[in-house]
């Protein structure tokens, strides 16, 4: 009976999680479906291409189910297709068969790596599309295939740019706040588990620290993508120009989250080392961790830009000057990391730690 109850609870949690993902992605997916259909209509019905399969593929791949980096993916795709077509046409003129495909992929990927720095160096879209285009030009070699594929890519990518930058640009502040909350949730969960370990005076099971670190770094990477997307949107999308100052301010606050994430990870490592060594951790460490958890929890609940009340700020100011307690070997390191975490949170809220 108990096993059945646990199974039902787990199933309910999975259904809730699935519904939350669907609810969060349904609007981007709807945009993607409209873009794919529009790209096919423009290239097939208007331009008269017999099988413009790449136009809807370009639109679907660029928009996807996410609202981050859409315009960047579209430009990477269009440029990669153009480069791959050039390589494929050149190789197809002198060779064919498996040798031609192998040589085309080699040249295309090397060329993409050589010219794909900066804007085009984020992710693998540019390199992959360059190689895929070269392969398709040789595999489907016929007169006009290169030019038609390029036009298809231009129309598919153009539809993406119209939708993502002109008609329905993502809300930049919402992107940053959502990523901030996700990071806050990951940090709060890690600090809650650390609190339990300190209470039991037992180190975590093997692999816990690595898993926590991986989760934090994943959310930091998502935050970096959200910040980059927000910056691009307010500079390119006319409907979002008036949000530039607010986004710049939110980006400046969000930049401090990188420091906070690494400070928390350092605290986790130091405390784990102390617990593994069997040291008597400072008596007030649990209180300090609890106060940090509460402050990070505010980020998880409200994101940034909502200020901080006195009940949150005052304990952080105390922690920013947290006095060392105990004489264990790891006490100085733990003390410095507690202070660093508190100062990072105060800076995120724009509060002077000594005021």
């Amino acid at each position: 009976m108990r096993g059945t109850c646990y199974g039902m609870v787990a199933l309910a949690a999975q259904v809730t999680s699935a519904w939350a993902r669907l609810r969060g992605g349904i609007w981007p997916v709807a945009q993607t479906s409209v873009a794919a259909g529009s790209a096919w209509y423009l290239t097939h019905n208007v331009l008269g291409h017999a099988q413009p399969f790449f136009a809807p593929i370009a639109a679907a791949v660029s928009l996807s189910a996410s609202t981050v980096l859409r315009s960047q993916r579209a430009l990477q795709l269009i440029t990669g297709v153009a480069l791959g077509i050039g390589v494929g046409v050149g190789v197809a003129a002198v060779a064919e068969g498996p040798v031609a495909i192998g040589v085309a992929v080699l040249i295309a990927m090397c060329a993409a790596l050589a010219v794909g720095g900066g804007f085009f160096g984020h992710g693998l879209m540019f390199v992959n599309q360059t190689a895929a285009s070269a392969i398709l030009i040789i595999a489907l070699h016929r007169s006009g295939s290169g030019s038609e594929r390029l036009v298809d890519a231009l129309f598919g990518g153009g539809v993406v740019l119209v939708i993502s930058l002109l008609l329905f640009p993502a809300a930049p502040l919402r992107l940053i706040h959502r990523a901030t909350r996700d990071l806050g949730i990951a940090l709060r969960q890690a600090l809650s588990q650390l609190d339990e370990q300190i209470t039991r005076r037992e180190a975590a099971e093997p692999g816990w620290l690595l898993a926590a670190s991986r989760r934090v770094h994943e959310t930091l990477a998502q935050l970096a993508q959200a910040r980059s997307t927000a910056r691009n949107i307010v500079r390119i999308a006319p409907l979002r120009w008036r949000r530039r100052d607010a986004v710049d301010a939110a980006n400046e606050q969000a930049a401090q989250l990188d420091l906070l994430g690494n400070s928390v990870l350092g605290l986790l490592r130091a405390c784990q080392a102390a617990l593994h060594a069997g040291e008597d951790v400072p008596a007030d460490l649990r209180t300090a961790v609890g106060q940090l958890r509460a402050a990070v929890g505010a980020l998880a609940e409200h994101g940034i830009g909502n200020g901080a009340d006195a009940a949150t700020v005052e304990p952080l100011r105390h922690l920013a000057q947290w006095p060392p307690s105990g004489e264990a070997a790891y006490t100085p390191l733990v003390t410095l990391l507690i202070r660093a975490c508190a100062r990072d949170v105060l800076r995120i809220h724009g509060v002077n730690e000594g005021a």
Side-chain angles (χ1 to χ4, degrees):
M1 183 66 180
R2 181 177 299 178
T4 302
C5 292
Y6 287 153
M8 293 298 293
V9 170
L11 178 60
Q14 292 177 0
V15 171
T16 301
S17 178
W19 172 245
R21 291 193 300 271
L22 179 60
R23 184 177 57 185
I26 190 64
W27 177 233
V29 168
Q31 294 177 18
T32 301
S33 63
V34 171
S38 300
W40 176 272
Y41 174 80
L42 290 172
T43 50
H44 183 269
N45 295 63
V46 177
L47 298 182
H49 292 182
Q51 292 182 321
F53 59 88
F54 193 73
I57 290 177
V61 169
S62 297
L63 285 178
S64 188
S66 171
T67 55
V68 298
L69 303 179
R70 284 178 151 188
S71 57
Q72 177 174 311
R73 287 196 298 266
L75 293 175
Q76 287 178 332
L77 184 144
I78 293 171
T79 309
V81 167
L83 179 59
I85 287 174
V87 172
V89 170
V91 173
V94 297
E96 61 181 17
V99 174
I101 288 181
V103 171
V105 169
L106 175 64
I107 297 175
M109 298 190 79
C110 288
L113 289 173
V115 303
F119 176 83
F120 294 102
H122 295 285
L124 297 175
M125 173 71 80
F126 180 59
V127 174
N128 290 345
Q129 286 303 322
T130 302
S133 298
I135 292 172
L136 287 174
I137 289 300
I138 296 174
L140 305 176
H141 184 59
R142 59 181 175 84
S143 177
S145 63
S147 60
E148 284 191 9
R149 178 170 167 77
L150 179 57
V151 171
D152 292 346
L154 289 173
F155 271 80
V159 170
V160 170
L161 294 177
V162 169
I163 288 179
S164 63
L165 295 178
L166 297 180
L167 298 180
F168 306 109
L173 288 175
R174 189 179 302 167
L175 290 177
I176 295 175
H177 291 162
R178 183 185 302 147
T180 299
R181 289 194 296 269
D182 289 343
L183 176 60
I185 291 171
L187 294 177
R188 180 176 61 184
Q189 181 180 25
L191 289 171
S192 296
Q193 293 169 341
L194 176 63
D195 189 8
E196 295 174 1
Q197 295 155 17
I198 293 173
T199 301
R200 299 194 309 265
R201 296 185 180 275
E202 295 179 359
E205 297 179 357
W208 172 81
L209 184 60
L210 182 60
S213 177
R214 185 182 297 115
R215 173 59 179 157
V216 170
H217 283 299
E218 286 176 354
T219 52
L220 283 173
Q222 292 167 3
L223 176 62
Q225 290 185 342
R227 292 176 59 208
S228 176
T229 301
R231 284 195 301 266
N232 291 336
I233 288 174
V234 296
R235 281 157 178 75
I236 301 174
L239 293 177
R240 305 301 186 197
W241 285 345
R242 61 187 178 87
R243 307 298 293 174
R244 287 181 182 177
D245 291 341
V247 169
D248 288 342
N251 254 322
E252 186 175 349
Q253 286 181 288
Q256 294 293 327
L257 288 164
D258 281 313
L259 298 177
L260 175 61
N262 286 288
S263 296
V264 170
L265 289 178
L267 178 63
L268 297 182
R269 294 195 65 179
C271 290
Q272 288 301 301
L275 291 171
H276 274 297
E279 290 195 359
D280 185 18
V281 296
D284 52 353
L285 177 58
R286 184 184 178 190
T287 300
V289 170
Q291 291 172 337
L292 282 177
R293 185 183 69 242
V296 170
L299 293 175
E301 295 296 332
H302 308 295
I304 58 177
N306 295 299
D309 55 24
T312 300
V313 170
E314 291 307 318
L316 287 173
R317 283 180 175 152
H318 171 71
L319 290 180
Q321 307 296 329
W322 195 53
S325 175
E327 299 180 354
Y330 284 95
T331 296
L333 177 58
V334 171
T335 299
L336 290 174
L337 289 168
I338 288 286
R339 292 174 179 176
C341 291
R343 289 168 180 167
D344 289 339
V345 178
L346 287 172
R347 292 190 189 104
I348 291 169
H349 290 300
V351 176
N352 186 342
E353 63 191 67

